[in-house]
């Protein structure tokens, strides 16, 4: 798309100008038509007047038997020398009393219309003439009238050159005035559109100053107060707050990951350094290597967890595609319980599985096993020895539900919001003693959300915790 089509200012301007131009043109046209009509009415009125004045020149002769005659001397000089008027006077017997010298031969302006009065038009020397036909015009000269019923028919025509010129002049005046007004209106439109869009430009300038080191959007007051821009400004502020949060959490994740790796790497290094310092007994070497292996295992677990988290997030954001098959939810739970059996047995904890439903859903079994594994691991690790952990499988009309409950210490209210944060441990000393990184719930949440599900906690300090996972059922 070219730039011309994408400029709001241009589009608004074109819209306003086209509307104004149409309006101005329409008004000019109406004005021209009205003026033309008015000028024609005046022209016809003048024609009528002149025809009547011509009829007044017909009088009776002073003979004993008076006849009607026309006083040609009194005919007023033509208004336009170049295009003299045409006239003709006929008495009631059809006798031609007078005719202008320029009356075209054979011109019968209202043929076949009897004695009807009206207007007519003809062309003379290429010029258009407009005429009037007056019938039954009484003879004004009453002296010596023999027949009171004597009446006249008057034909009178004048050139329309001046009328046309007047109409053209009026038209030109209206068009010139319209163009001038259109110019002024366009200037006002340009100014007001520029002014109207100024807050948008200011908002863009403010937005361009936002960067990873400065997340604050200094929105100009006008953009906050402008009705159309307020939602955009609000949306940008909210979006930036979310971005800042995401950025900060990424940074923290990186820092935390580095920190978590630093300790085992340092321990591993010092173990290997002390082994290398001087020759050792075989027993010492074995102990050293075992300690190094333990640290390596811990690092491996961390790296593996980080990788799973990154994958789940990649998948949730849509940048990773997977084809899923329908699986049996119960068997994933059974596998997870079996995997954690040694840990549970070591603490004398009993893990019960309650199947209240047999939901089917499309998922990757390994993903679900990881989620149940993390929840069960927490329940087993944070419960008192010899207690019971219960895993319940149920369903609603749309969701498969898996709940893991324990009789552990519960999670304090101030920690509840943060337990799903990466590297967050509610009680770090306890968690460290249990070997956790604070990534288990973050991974579980990321996976569950990638499937379009949710994970909720119900807990009561001293009475235990229930973690419930909801996953959408297969369609
Ligand atoms: N069932 C539970 N009972 C009590 N506290 C829990 C329970 N589950 C989680 N928590 C608290 O939430 C914190 C976060 O749990 P999470 O599983 O994310 O990390 P972790 O278990 O400490 O480490 P990791 O799972 O990475 O080995 C835990 O440190 C613990 O304090
Ligand atoms: Mg855990």
């Amino acid at each position: 798309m070219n730039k011309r089509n994408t400029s709001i200012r241009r589009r608004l301007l074109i819209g306003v100008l086209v509307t104004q131009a149409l309006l101005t043109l329409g008004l000019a046209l109406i004005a021209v038509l009205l003026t033309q009509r008015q000028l024609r009415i005046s022209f016809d009125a003048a024609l009528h007047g002149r025809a009547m004045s011509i009829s007044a020149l017909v009088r009776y002769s002073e003979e004993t038997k008076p006849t009607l005659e026309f006083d040609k001397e009194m005919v007023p000089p033509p208004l336009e020398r170049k295009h003299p008027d045409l006239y003709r006077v006929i008495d009631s017997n059809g006798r031609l009393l007078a005719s202008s010298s320029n009356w075209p031969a054979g011109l019968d302006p209202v043929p076949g219309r009897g004695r009807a009065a009206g207007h007519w038009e003809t062309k003379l020397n290429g010029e258009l003439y407009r005429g009037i036909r007056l019938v039954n015009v009484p003879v004004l000269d009453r002296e010596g009238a023999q027949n009171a019923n004597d009446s006249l028919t008057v034909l009178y025509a004048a050139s329309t050159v001046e009328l046309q010129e007047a109409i053209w002049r009026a038209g030109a005046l209206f068009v010139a005035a319209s163009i001038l007004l259109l110019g002024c209106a366009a200037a006002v439109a340009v100014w007001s559109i520029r002014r109207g869009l100024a807050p948008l430009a200011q908002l863009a300038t403010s937005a361009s100053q936002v960067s990873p080191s400065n997340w604050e959007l200094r929105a100009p007051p006008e953009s906050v107060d402008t009705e159309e821009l307020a939602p955009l400004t609000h949306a940008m502020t909210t979006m930036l707050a979310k971005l800042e949060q995401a950025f900060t959490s990424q940074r923290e994740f990186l820092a935390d990951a580095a920190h978590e790796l630093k300790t085992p790497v340092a321990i591993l290094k010092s173990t290997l350094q002390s082994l290398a310092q001087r020759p050792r007994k075989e027993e010492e070497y074995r102990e050293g290597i075992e300690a190094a292996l333990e640290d390596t295992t811990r690092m491996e677990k961390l790296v593996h967890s980080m990788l799973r988290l990154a994958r789940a997030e990649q998948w949730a954001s849509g940048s990773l595609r997977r084809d899923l098959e329908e699986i049996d939810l119960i068997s994933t739970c059974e596998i997870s319980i079996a995997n954690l059996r040694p840990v549970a047995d070591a603490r004398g904890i009993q893990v019960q599985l309650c199947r209240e439903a047999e939901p089917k859903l499309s998922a990757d079994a390994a993903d679900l096993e990881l989620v149940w594994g993390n929840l069960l691991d927490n329940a087993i690790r944070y419960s008192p020895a010899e207690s019971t952990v219960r895993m319940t499988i149920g369903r609603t009309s749309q969701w498969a539900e898996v709940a893991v409950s324990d009789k552990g210490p519960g999670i304090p209210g101030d920690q509840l919001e943060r337990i799903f944060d990466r590297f967050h441990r509610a009680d770090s000393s306890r968690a460290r003693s249990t070997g956790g990184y604070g990534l288990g719930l973050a991974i579980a949440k990321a996976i569950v959300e990638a499937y379009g599900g949710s994970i909720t906690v119900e807990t009561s300090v001293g009475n235990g915790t229930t973690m419930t996972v909801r996953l959408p059922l297969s369609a």
Side-chain angles (χ1 to χ4, degrees):
M1 209 183 277
N2 62 27
K3 206 180 167 194
R4 209 183 169 75
N5 289 337
T6 50
S7 161
I8 293 181
R9 189 190 299 166
R10 268 202 199 97
R11 268 192 262 171
L12 281 179
L13 203 59
I14 289 171
V16 170
L17 286 185
V18 168
T19 320
Q20 282 181 350
L22 285 177
L23 202 69
T24 322
L25 266 177
L27 284 177
L29 198 70
I30 290 170
V32 168
L33 289 177
L34 281 178
T35 311
Q36 188 184 32
R37 201 176 110 84
Q38 215 48 49
L39 285 172
R40 272 183 192 279
I41 289 172
S42 312
F43 184 84
D44 287 349
L47 263 187
H48 188 272
R50 302 199 89 195
M52 288 303 284
S53 68
I54 286 289
S55 75
L57 299 180
V58 174
R59 58 197 65 192
Y60 288 99
S61 64
E62 287 172 3
E63 294 159 6
T64 42
K65 201 177 171 199
T67 52
L68 283 174
E69 59 184 31
F70 184 75
D71 189 355
K72 205 165 185 163
E73 302 299 312
M74 298 294 283
V75 174
L79 283 180
E80 246 197 293
R81 295 247 162 250
K82 270 169 120 185
H83 313 283
D85 295 352
L86 305 174
Y87 63 86
R88 217 164 216 208
V89 185
I90 302 157
D91 72 7
S92 45
N93 298 322
R95 188 169 65 96
L96 184 66
L97 295 179
S99 176
S100 60
S101 56
N102 55 348
W103 187 272
L107 173 67
D108 183 6
V110 208
R113 291 186 61 187
R115 298 172 66 78
H119 286 101
W120 49 277
E121 282 179 351
T122 188
K123 278 216 160 177
L124 183 63
N125 301 330
E127 294 297 345
L128 184 69
Y129 273 68
R130 181 169 167 82
I132 191 169
R133 178 189 171 106
L134 300 179
V135 295
N136 296 330
V137 182
V139 179
L140 279 184
D141 184 14
R142 290 269 142 235
E143 289 171 30
Q146 282 194 328
N147 182 359
N149 289 335
D150 269 341
S151 69
L152 306 169
T153 296
V154 182
L155 294 159
Y156 196 97
S159 159
T160 58
V161 170
E162 284 213 344
L163 173 69
Q164 292 301 341
E165 278 176 0
I167 292 171
W168 275 113
R169 272 199 303 279
L173 188 74
F174 283 129
V175 169
S178 302
I179 290 172
L180 194 73
L181 282 177
L182 189 63
C184 295
V188 174
V190 170
W191 178 80
S192 58
I193 287 172
R194 248 177 223 277
R195 236 195 90 51
L197 291 178
L200 195 60
Q202 289 165 6
L203 186 62
T205 313
S206 307
S208 67
Q209 281 156 8
V210 172
S211 69
S213 55
N214 169 35
W215 289 100
E216 198 195 345
L217 175 71
R218 282 183 222 277
E222 260 197 299
S223 75
V224 182
D225 298 337
T226 308
E227 196 186 327
E228 289 78 7
L229 283 185
L232 177 66
T233 314
H234 180 70
M236 284 171 78
T237 316
T238 317
M239 179 190 72
L240 283 174
K242 283 185 192 158
L243 275 177
E244 183 179 12
Q245 208 182 358
F247 230 78
T248 313
S249 99
Q250 287 291 344
R251 260 193 211 138
E252 281 172 7
F253 178 62
L254 199 66
D256 289 343
H259 182 79
E260 291 296 339
L261 279 171
K262 203 178 103 189
T263 317
V265 169
I267 297 173
L268 181 63
K269 190 179 167 191
S270 71
T271 310
L272 295 177
Q273 268 174 342
S274 72
L275 276 186
Q277 240 170 16
R278 56 189 164 81
R280 303 272 179 177
K281 291 193 205 118
E282 194 187 326
E283 187 62 19
E284 284 174 323
Y285 277 124
R286 188 193 318 277
E287 277 172 15
I289 289 170
E290 272 168 9
L293 262 177
E294 210 174 286
D295 287 325
T296 319
T297 310
R298 205 172 142 70
M299 282 190 282
E300 190 187 22
K301 187 190 164 202
L302 174 61
V303 172
H304 182 73
S305 295
M306 282 166 64
L307 207 62
R308 290 302 303 223
L309 194 58
R311 284 247 182 81
E313 284 182 345
Q314 235 181 331
W315 187 43
S317 71
S319 52
L320 193 72
R321 268 199 57 80
R322 300 164 60 174
D323 296 320
L324 299 172
E325 282 174 16
E326 194 165 90
I327 55 148
D328 176 20
L329 186 68
I330 293 178
S331 69
T332 60
C333 296
E334 285 168 347
I335 292 172
S336 302
I337 292 175
N339 287 344
L340 280 157
R341 183 79 61 200
V343 190
D345 288 347
R347 304 202 61 226
I349 289 174
Q350 224 196 328
V351 184
Q352 292 176 350
L353 180 64
C354 305
R355 308 181 188 98
E356 288 173 4
E358 290 187 13
K360 296 253 184 282
L361 43 89
S362 301
D364 180 338
D367 279 350
L368 299 193
E369 281 159 26
L370 187 64
V371 174
W372 315 144
N374 282 336
L375 298 186
L376 285 169
D377 183 66
N378 285 349
I380 293 166
R381 280 180 201 281
Y382 304 126
S383 291
E386 312 297 332
S387 63
T388 306
V389 167
R390 185 186 292 265
M391 188 176 204
T392 315
I393 303 168
R395 61 170 288 176
T396 65
S397 58
Q398 290 174 28
W399 306 98
E401 281 185 346
V402 176
V404 176
S405 16
D406 62 57
K407 295 266 173 269
I411 303 163
D414 60 323
Q415 296 292 324
L416 261 184
E417 268 192 18
R418 303 206 56 204
I419 54 168
F420 293 101
D421 289 356
R422 292 173 282 192
F423 293 111
H424 181 77
R425 282 160 294 200
D427 176 350
S428 42
S429 57
R430 186 187 67 198
R432 199 172 286 283
S433 71
T434 58
Y437 282 109
L439 282 179
L441 286 180
I443 294 171
K445 186 170 185 260
I447 293 176
V448 168
E449 286 181 353
Y451 279 98
S454 63
I455 179 163
T456 48
V457 199
E458 265 174 75
T459 183
S460 147
V461 175
N463 291 319
T465 304
T466 300
M467 296 265 174
T468 308
V469 171
R470 267 209 189 94
L471 291 168
L473 288 170
S474 305

